[in-house]
Amino acid sequence: MRTKLFRLSFVLIFVHLFSFGQSGDMARINGARYIPLYGRDSTVVEVKDFDLDKYPVTNEQYMDFVKKFPEWQKSNAKKIFADGMYLRNWKNNFELNDDAKSNSPVTYVSWFAAKAYCDCMGKRLPTMDEWEYAAMSDETSKDARIKKSYNEKILSWYEAPRSNENQIGQNPKNYWGVSDLHGLVWEWTSDFNSVMLSGESRKDKDGDNNLFCGSASLGATDLMNYAAFMRYAFRGSIKANYAIKNLGFRCAKDIETP
Amino acid sequence: MKSKLKFTVLIATVFLFSCFQEKKEKYTATEDIPVSLEMIAELTAPPHVPKPVGKRKAKKLIVKMEILEAEGEISNGVRYVFWTFGGSVPGSFIRARVGDEIEFHLQNHPDNKLPHNIDLHAVNGPGGGAESSFVAPGHEKVFSFKVLAPGLYVYHCATAPVGMHIANGMYGLILIEPEGGLPPVDKEYYVMQGDFYTAGPNGERGLQPFDMQKAVDERADYVVFNGKVGALTGDGALTAKVGETVRLFVGNGGPGLVSSFHVIGEIFDRVTVEGGSLVNENVQTTLIPAGGAAMIEFKVDVPGSYVLVDHSIFRAFNKGALGLLNVTGEENEKIYSGELMDNIYLPEGPGIQRMPTTSEIKESDIPAKSFEEQMKFGKQIYGQTCIACHQAEGQGIPSAFPPLAKSDYLNADVDRAIEAVLFGLSGEITVNGEKYNSIMTAQMISQEEVANVMTYVYNSWGNNKTVVTPEMVKKVKEKKK
């Protein structure tokens, strides 16, 4: 009897684990084929099932990380991996500035730092295709990109000052149960620079990279293009050692196949 | 005698030699002009411009331009997030000369959300510098270019989405002076037009987000000079004295609209067409394309207020494209007489009667002490002055005289209504969906009486119950002066 109970609870735990992803703070994203606004070759890309952090990594979580990994502490990080702006809103290795909140997303982190953090958690950075896929949903639908409200919300964030000082979880969860993909900070992706905007956006139009054709074939509205272009433009302007005020990250994870 | 001749020959040789030397210093191509020394460029916010280059030699000119994304006011009570070069719309004015080598530092403030870059129309090279200046927040990019051609050029941001970056105010002017500089003038000003697209209609208060759809459709809510409705009026008005020559550096950032730039009451003596080397004379209105500029010079002869407008005139009076140049000094009645007489014209009448002008109107001896009195006095004036056209119940006469009862035109803007009573109103207006195109004359009644009659009108027949005070009338009257 006792063993039966034990077994039952084991099964329950297993079911619990399975239905909520790897842990409570990640959400399961069911993959599919979709056309990103513009991707590497502007065609359909396939995203496999994966888990994604529900929230961006916070100052508090990052603090725990640097306590365990001193090489990523503010005073120790190597310049080639994180530029002079690294953790600029932290007073020192273990204290935030007075106006920074522990529950705000960590920003002023480089790609190298973000990658190291995810590696240490047994996770990884999401790919740009994964990130864009998860981020194209709103509260009710997987692909909200053609909705006016969805795009307006994104564009309005571009104009909101000091939003990096907001705390996580204040934006509604999207279809997958993920928050803050829009409306809080930009986020690193593992291959952020795989679509290169030269910075001369007009020239990008007629290059052989066909960056704009993908979106054209979608019959996308201008509004929709604009919200995404700004994301791609931003990614195109950064390098892996940049630490920027409005740029944070979250981690993803492959689904372990039994 | 012989020695004297020798001396003359010597002098002549020296002159010849010096002439020859002079010639040697003229370069066939501006790219060959050598630079000596470094200099930090003076940058100015509109409407000011840096000091003229004068006769200075070509230099290595260091320009440090900071990009700031910041909230500001586009009209009274209407907030907008501007993206700026140097903290102002339009961006800082850059002044250089042909042959200068400009080392451009583009700095993107760390608080900014977006990457930016700069395309200077004065650059010969791909993207006008856009490619080499693409800069992430918290970073600085440096690039360099040789200034080859004189003229007045626009610069702007060219980061995707280009239209949005320009629509948010990312444009300005760079002036390249010829060798020896532009001819000196008495006053120089920097004026740049831009169109803005907000989610709310013109005048809707609060922070207004950018409206992409309106921008795509080129339906501007605001068309302004120097980034704000009224930037060049009141304390911001440009000034000059009678007899001075004024040079305006006028640009148009767009993104959508072309400007028909005109100064009411002036003829432009000289216009460098499109900012290039072609000079046109005696111009009334000059076209300034989006992404283009012109240098405009004129001598002011008569004191008074000269109104800068986009002569696509609804933009001026309804969307903000209006500025002032206030000229002070001696009247010159030979050139302009001013108003000589205001006579009542009665074709069938016997004689000509003189009417008092507004300055002669005496204020009432018995000012209204309360709202009730205002209504009482107002009704009286209405009965004497307004009733003939606007009718007893303010209903007007269809297609001739617009209604005052439940009038959207009236209720929308009290200052506009005061102005109509004080100074008259003509041209096409739309009231409650109907178009009217007739003339209302200026009403010869005192400020107090204007306040009373308008209070009466606003508090009758379903209007919005505005109370008009003599102070409000005074304000409108003075503003117009």
Side-chain angles (χ1 to χ4, degrees), chain B residues 207-440:
Chain B
L207 180 64
Q208 291 294 327
F210 168 70
D211 190 311
M212 177 62 66
Q213 196 56 53
K214 283 185 185 172
V216 171
D217 299 346
E218 299 182 5
R219 280 185 291 126
D221 297 285
Y222 297 90
V223 182
V224 297
F225 296 131
N226 291 0
K228 190 190 168 187
V229 176
L232 295 177
T233 61
D235 292 342
L238 309 178
T239 58
K241 293 197 184 73
V242 167
E244 286 186 328
T245 300
V246 179
R247 179 182 287 141
L248 300 177
F249 299 104
V250 186
N252 184 7
L257 305 178
V258 163
S259 174
S260 304
F261 189 77
H262 177 79
V263 176
I264 299 174
E266 264 304 333
I267 296 160
F268 304 145
D269 299 338
R270 280 174 302 283
V271 174
T272 64
V273 179
E274 291 158 10
S277 304
L278 176 68
V279 175
N280 196 0
E281 292 180 345
N282 301 327
V283 178
Q284 54 186 317
T285 300
T286 193
L287 203 65
I288 305 186
M295 276 184 274
I296 294 167
E297 289 170 26
F298 52 90
K299 185 169 157 245
V300 284
D301 303 300
V302 177
S305 284
Y306 296 84
V307 188
L308 284 60
V309 294
D310 178 341
H311 216 296
S312 295
I313 208 71
F314 280 106
R315 298 180 189 164
F317 294 106
N318 301 71
K319 298 184 174 182
L322 193 142
L324 282 180
L325 169 67
N326 288 331
V327 176
T328 52
E330 291 285 306
E331 291 284 355
N332 186 344
E333 290 185 0
K334 211 166 127 192
I335 293 177
Y336 184 70
S337 73
E339 180 177 314
L340 295 175
M341 268 189 274
D342 181 349
N343 303 321
I344 289 176
Y345 172 61
L346 293 169
E348 70 280 11
I352 289 172
Q353 302 166 349
R354 195 177 150 274
M355 232 176 129
T357 58
T358 38
S359 51
E360 287 170 38
I361 296 167
K362 287 224 173 58
E363 288 300 321
S364 158
D365 293 331
I366 321 157
K369 287 196 189 70
S370 63
F371 173 71
E372 281 72 23
E373 280 196 339
Q374 265 201 306
M375 289 293 282
K376 202 174 113 195
F377 297 171
K379 187 172 182 181
Q380 203 180 347
I381 297 158
Y382 188 85
Q384 296 161 353
T385 315
C386 319
I387 201 163
C389 299
H390 293 294
Q391 303 297 295
E393 297 302 318
Q395 71 271 37
I397 293 172
S399 69
F401 306 114
L404 297 176
K406 285 185 194 147
S407 159
D408 57 3
Y409 186 85
L410 176 78
N411 288 310
D413 189 342
V414 64
D415 283 357
R416 178 175 65 184
I418 294 172
E419 201 175 309
V421 175
L422 283 175
F423 303 106
L425 181 68
S426 60
E428 189 180 271
I429 60 169
T430 304
V431 182
N432 296 346
E434 290 286 328
K435 285 199 171 111
Y436 295 88
N437 196 346
S438 51
I439 293 169
M440 169 170 167

Side-chain angles (χ1 to χ4, degrees), chain B residues 418 421-422 445-455 468 473:
Chain B
I418 294 172
V421 175
L422 283 175
I445 54 179
S446 74
Q447 290 175 22
E448 172 113 17
E449 287 169 319
V450 173
N452 293 343
V453 73
M454 292 191 69
T455 300
V468 179
V473 180

Side-chain angles (χ1 to χ4, degrees), chain B residues 66-77:
Chain B
E66 185 185 36
I67 296 166
L68 293 164
E69 298 166 4
E71 194 180 311
E73 203 166 48
I74 191 166
S75 183
N76 284 334

Side-chain angles (χ1 to χ4, degrees), chain A residues 68-206:
Chain A
K68 280 181 224 149
F69 298 92
E71 68 268 32
W72 286 108
Q73 284 165 12
K74 182 172 173 161
S75 60
N76 297 339
K78 295 230 166 23
K79 285 278 178 297
I80 54 161
F81 296 130
D83 69 14
M85 302 293 278
Y86 182 62
L87 297 180
R88 193 179 160 83
N89 59 341
W90 290 27
K91 245 183 230 169
N92 52 45
N93 288 348
F94 305 110
E95 264 182 295
L96 301 178
N97 276 356
D98 297 335
D99 53 354
K101 297 181 195 81
S102 58
N103 213 26
S104 291
V106 64
T107 59
Y108 293 112
V109 285
S110 66
W111 178 86
F112 293 106
K115 183 178 181 298
Y117 178 96
C118 292
D119 287 350
C120 294
M121 300 292 149
K123 302 178 187 173
R124 59 176 174 78
L125 284 172
T127 65
M128 194 159 60
D129 287 341
E130 286 172 341
W131 195 98
E132 289 287 328
Y133 177 73
M136 71 189 192
S137 73
D138 65 359
E139 290 103 282
T140 51
S141 53
K142 285 186 208 175
D143 188 352
R145 292 179 295 175
I146 48 163
K147 289 188 191 170
K148 202 171 172 229
S149 60
Y150 165 85
N151 293 292
E152 274 173 355
K153 232 181 247 176
I154 298 175
L155 284 169
S156 75
W157 173 75
Y158 294 150
E159 300 186 342
R162 302 164 73 88
S163 50
N164 68 309
E165 289 168 18
N166 294 342
Q167 304 185 44
I168 60 158
Q170 299 191 337
N171 293 303
K173 283 185 173 46
N174 74 5
Y175 177 86
W176 306 106
V178 177
S179 288
D180 303 328
L181 284 164
H182 302 292
L184 198 56
V185 286
W186 303 109
E187 294 183 10
W188 284 108
T189 57
S190 59
D191 54 346
F192 68 94
N193 53 3
S194 61
V195 172
M196 281 308 285
L197 274 173
S198 63
E200 227 305 37
S201 52
R202 299 154 299 182
K203 186 179 140 190
D204 292 328
K205 245 179 195 170
D206 48 39

Side-chain angles (χ1 to χ4, degrees), chain A residues 83 85 108 155 157-163 186 197-203 222-223 226 229-230 233-234 236-238 242 244-246, chain B residues 71 81 83 110-115 117 119 127 130-131 134-137 139 156 158-164 168 209-210 212-213 216:
Chain A
D83 69 14
M85 302 293 278
Y108 293 112
L155 284 169
W157 173 75
Y158 294 150
E159 300 186 342
R162 302 164 73 88
S163 50
W186 303 109
L197 274 173
S198 63
E200 227 305 37
S201 52
R202 299 154 299 182
K203 186 179 140 190
D222 281 292
L223 201 64
Y226 275 61
F229 284 167
M230 291 166 90
F234 180 82
S237 77
I238 55 180
Y242 283 14
I244 291 176
K245 182 177 175 174
N246 285 300
Chain B
E71 194 180 311
V81 177
W83 300 346
D111 285 355
N112 294 345
K113 280 224 169 85
L114 297 160
N117 62 8
D119 166 353
E131 235 175 301
F134 189 41
V135 57
H139 286 260
H156 63 89
T159 302
V162 185
M164 185 175 182
N168 284 343
F210 168 70
M212 177 62 66
Q213 196 56 53
V216 171

